[in-house]
Amino acid sequence: MAVRLDADGDELVRTTDLPAVNPLTVTMRIYLSVDRNGWSTPWTLYLDSNNSLHPQADASGTQFGFRLRKNSASSTVITMMNMAVGAWYFVGFQVNSEILATAYWAAVGAAALSSGTAAFAAGAWFTPSAMKCGDSVFATEWWNGRVAAIKIWTAALSAAEIAAERHYIRPRRFANLYGWWPCMAGATERLKDYSKAARNWTAGGTLT
């Protein structure tokens, strides 16, 4: 139960009816199949190159972080885990005000959930123009791996709620649920939003 992304242009995309950045909570499972020894991005929400947020492996290929740009060409980074190739990880992130974001991460099956925060100058967040799995706004930072159990809420979930979500494919909280994509097998099923909001992905490239 996952979508395999393994080439530039392999992606899941939405460009309409997108969630607001604040408040926002996203959780998902990610799997690095191949270390590209470069930037790679399993999910992103963005307006342009100066306004985006995404979990991302850096130029090393395996050091993972949550990167945010708010009216800036430079990223604010919450350093997360050093990923192992061939292992599943849970990642979550939350924007709960104009000035604060929090990231969560753990290997799937691990006992403890780690977290970190980043602060920002006051000012409204951007209005997104696209949401993707498989690449970033820069279009060269494609993900060679898998994504699964993607859940998004238009609310700031508590740390306890996010910790509970990491053990389940199905959402534990349905209030404020924007979308839920288990990423089941099949050309149609991998795109389907099971939240009943009908916010299905559009496929790009060759997905399996």
Side-chain angles (χ1 to χ4, degrees), residues 154-208:
T154 53
L157 273 63
S158 68
E161 287 176 312
I162 291 173
E165 292 291 341
R166 74 186 178 110
H167 298 298
Y168 298 92
I169 302 297
R170 182 177 181 269
R172 305 293 289 169
R173 169 173 165 157
F174 284 90
N176 311 109
L177 185 65
Y178 164 84
W180 166 39
W181 303 268
C183 301
M184 294 183 180
T188 300
E189 293 301 309
R190 70 171 61 101
L191 307 177
K192 187 175 179 180
D193 172 18
Y194 279 78
S195 74
K196 298 185 179 180
R199 295 184 173 108
N200 298 336
W201 296 105
T202 297
T206 302
L207 308 179
T208 56

Side-chain angles (χ1 to χ4, degrees), residues 24 43 45-46 54-55 62-63 74 81 86 113 142 148-149 158 206:
L24 178 72
W43 179 93
L45 183 67
Y46 65 84
H54 43 256
T62 57
Q63 180 58 60
S74 300
M81 67 282 187
L113 182 66
W142 53 275
S158 68
T206 302

Side-chain angles (χ1 to χ4, degrees), residues 52-122:
S52 63
L53 65 157
H54 43 256
Q56 187 178 58
D58 68 11
S60 71
T62 57
Q63 180 58 60
F64 211 72
F66 182 41
R67 297 183 124 74
L68 305 97
R69 291 184 177 91
K70 183 181 181 184
N71 298 314
S72 174
S74 300
S75 295
T76 297
V77 183
I78 303 173
T79 300
M80 299 166 74
M81 67 282 187
N82 189 18
M83 295 188 71
V85 172
W88 280 101
Y89 292 85
F90 169 87
V91 294
F93 29 96
Q94 170 209 84
V95 178
N96 57 17
S97 72
E98 288 186 355
I99 61 171
L100 188 67
T102 306
Y104 300 85
W105 64 94
V108 170
L113 182 66
S114 300
S115 65
T117 60
F120 298 86

